[in-house]
Amino acid sequence: MTLNIGVIGTGAIGRDHIRRCSKVLQGARIVAVNDINRDNAAKVVSDLQLDARVYDNGHDLINAADVQAVLVTSWGPSHEEFVLAAIAAGKPVFCEKPLAVTAQGCKNIVDAEAKHGKRLVQVGFMRPYDRGYRALKQVLTSGQIGEPLMLHCAHRNPTVGEAYTTDMAITDTLIHEIDVLRWLLDDDYVSVQVVFPRKSPKAFPHLKDPQIVLFETAKGTRIDVEIFVNCQYGYDIQCEVVGETGIARLPEPSSVQMRSGARLSTEILTDWKDRFIDAYDVELQGFISDVLAGKLTGPSAWDGYAASVTADACVAAQLSGEIVPVTLPPRPAFYNK
Ligand code: NAD
Ligand code: NAI
Ligand code: ISE
């Protein structure tokens, strides 16, 4: 059976997900696209030679009779509206992170899904599907380095556009670490503090960059994450776990080692699309297969909510400079695996 998918938002990641659903993955076809900028959507249809209709608004796409599942890849502030509309139509929906830009927005989605009575939402947290993070988790659960005591992490982008603001370092960028480290450690955050080092002159004047986010978890593990979105040199994701008896690091992406011109070197990626390319394929194939099988199993609306509650605390910590508690209500039984 083939799943008919409609996509709202045909920017950078929307285009890339349309490419993978139509050219790489099994069991799906793109039948409908929409973007607030209609030319964007029409261009994707012609560039990828899709047999898909271009809709003038996302709600008509969601309610179209031939659309069986929806991908929401528009910009963050529009996610909540489209996810709620998909739930109201009873259609499965894959929503890129963040699920909504506030915890309350995510809670509205959790409540609507619970009222519907069956999981319909998967959030685009792809790092738990990454082979490197999975290998790192395997080392931790096997006990090879004892219990994790400290984590040193970095999330670096070469540059960001002028529309990127200081809070987006949390809601758009750190949100990946917020999700994946909770999964990696099987732990919850209890408090957070944000400190600002000397500002990089490469950042736009309104943006505080870099930033350091310090978490404490329920089990007492301490985590520092450097977010540096104008680092210039590449797209670089680092994660080092210091355990009781050893240290484990996230593997670097594979790259040819060269000896040339009196240098020993390996390439560093520059585009986020390439760094987790396999993980995006696996997460979306999982969504398609789960929808066809009638049961979603990937990152849930509750995971999106948990990340957003944490992100709200981080943004409050950016503003106050204080240590801010992170308080997550207990997970409803509906979301137990
Ligand atoms: P983008 O700006 O390149 O694309 C967004 C597109 O959405 C644009 O074409 C815009 O016109 C369209 N859009 C905005 N509001 C819309 C609306 N209401 N209805 C229809 N279309 C709308 O952004 P992007 O980089 O593709 O990011 C899109 C989303 O994907 C964001 O939520 C982002 O956080 C997420 N994302 C996730 C990852 C990841 O690694 N998981 C990577 C990139 C982006
Ligand atoms: P983008 O700016 O390239 O694309 C956003 C698109 O959404 C644009 O084409 C815009 O016209 C469209 N759009 C915005 N509002 C819309 C609306 N109301 N209706 C229809 N279309 C609308 O942004 P990008 O980088 O593709 O990011 C989109 C989303 O994907 C964001 O939520 C972002 O956080 C997420 N993202 C996730 C990544 C990941 O690794 N999972 C990586 C990059 C982005
Ligand atoms: C973007 O939206 C992503 O999700 C990327 O993975 C992240 O590195 C970047 O900072 C975000 O803006």
Side-chain angles (χ1 to χ4, degrees):
M1 200 186 136
T2 303
L3 183 69
N4 289 340
I5 296 181
V7 180
I8 302 177
T10 54
I13 202 161
R15 277 193 294 270
D16 208 37
H17 283 346
I18 290 171
R19 176 196 58 77
R20 58 174 48 85
C21 287
S22 55
K23 313 282 182 211
V24 181
L25 307 181
Q26 303 292 313
R29 75 166 79 91
I30 304 296
V31 297
V33 294
N34 158 257
D35 196 290
I36 204 164
N37 176 348
R38 197 178 201 282
D39 292 346
N40 260 358
K43 186 166 184 324
V44 175
V45 171
S46 72
D47 286 354
L48 294 174
Q49 298 179 315
L50 303 173
D51 186 11
R53 182 169 161 192
V54 179
Y55 284 79
D56 284 328
N57 89 62
H59 292 275
D60 290 346
L61 176 148
I62 290 167
N63 291 307
D66 63 338
V67 169
Q68 297 169 308
V70 180
L71 298 195
V72 178
T73 49
S74 49
W75 73 312
S78 64
H79 291 180
E80 180 186 352
E81 169 193 345
F82 293 131
V83 173
L84 287 174
I87 294 171
K91 297 188 182 180
V93 52
F94 175 97
C95 178
E96 263 308 334
K97 39 64 58 174
L99 178 58
V101 287
T102 60
Q104 184 56 51
C106 295
K107 183 67 170 39
N108 296 340
I109 291 169
V110 162
D111 291 345
E113 190 178 43
K115 195 163 163 218
H116 174 79
K118 186 180 169 204
R119 268 198 64 186
L120 286 177
V121 181
Q122 176 169 331
V123 183
F125 287 134
M126 74 298 178
R127 290 203 194 169
Y129 293 96
D130 172 63
R131 195 194 294 230
Y133 274 108
R134 296 186 86 86
L136 185 57
K137 186 168 172 75
Q138 171 60 30
V139 168
L140 297 188
T141 47
S142 70
Q144 288 175 72
I145 61 165
E147 292 297 328
L149 307 176
M150 294 176 280
L151 271 69
H152 307 300
C153 308
H155 187 152
R156 304 192 187 110
N157 292 196
T159 55
V160 289
E162 194 164 6
Y164 188 102
T165 49
T166 296
D167 58 326
M168 286 173 73
I170 305 294
T171 57
D172 213 53
T173 298
L174 179 77
I175 197 96
H176 285 296
E177 272 78 16
I178 291 176
D179 177 70
V180 78
L181 300 181
R182 183 170 157 264
W183 165 84
L184 184 70
L185 297 174
D186 194 18
D187 203 349
D188 277 315
Y189 307 109
V190 293
S191 72
V192 64
Q193 183 181 20
V194 180
V195 294
F196 297 101
R198 181 175 171 179
K199 181 175 159 9
S200 164
K202 301 286 186 194
F204 284 104
H206 65 268
L207 176 64
K208 291 187 177 175
D209 185 46
Q211 307 183 20
I212 299 171
V213 182
L214 304 163
F215 289 106
E216 183 180 6
T217 73
K219 294 176 190 166
T221 303
R222 293 284 182 162
I223 302 169
D224 56 86
V225 187
E226 169 203 315
I227 312 160
F228 187 12
V229 293
N230 289 281
C231 79
Q232 310 293 307
Y233 72 85
Y235 185 77
D236 194 8
I237 304 299
Q238 299 290 326
C239 180
E240 179 181 273
V241 183
V242 181
E244 292 162 330
T245 60
I247 289 174
R249 283 190 78 94
L250 182 69
E252 294 289 344
S254 72
S255 156
V256 173
Q257 196 185 62
M258 283 178 44
R259 286 172 161 78
S260 172
R263 285 181 189 280
L264 175 62
S265 63
T266 53
E267 191 189 11
I268 296 178
L269 295 172
T270 53
D271 190 338
W272 51 259
K273 285 191 214 72
D274 300 324
R275 174 63 181 85
F276 291 106
I277 192 163
D278 296 335
Y280 293 126
D281 287 351
V282 180
E283 71 166 353
L284 270 173
Q285 186 65 68
F287 175 73
I288 293 164
S289 305
D290 282 356
V291 172
L292 292 173
K295 190 175 189 309
L296 291 191
T297 57
S300 68
W302 185 260
D303 295 316
Y305 174 60
S308 196
V309 167
T310 310
D312 279 5
C314 295
V315 172
Q318 280 183 327
L319 295 172
S320 69
E322 304 289 320
I323 297 173
V324 174
V326 180
T327 314
L328 190 66
R331 185 170 58 193
F334 180 76
Y335 288 104
N336 289 343
K337 301 269 182 279

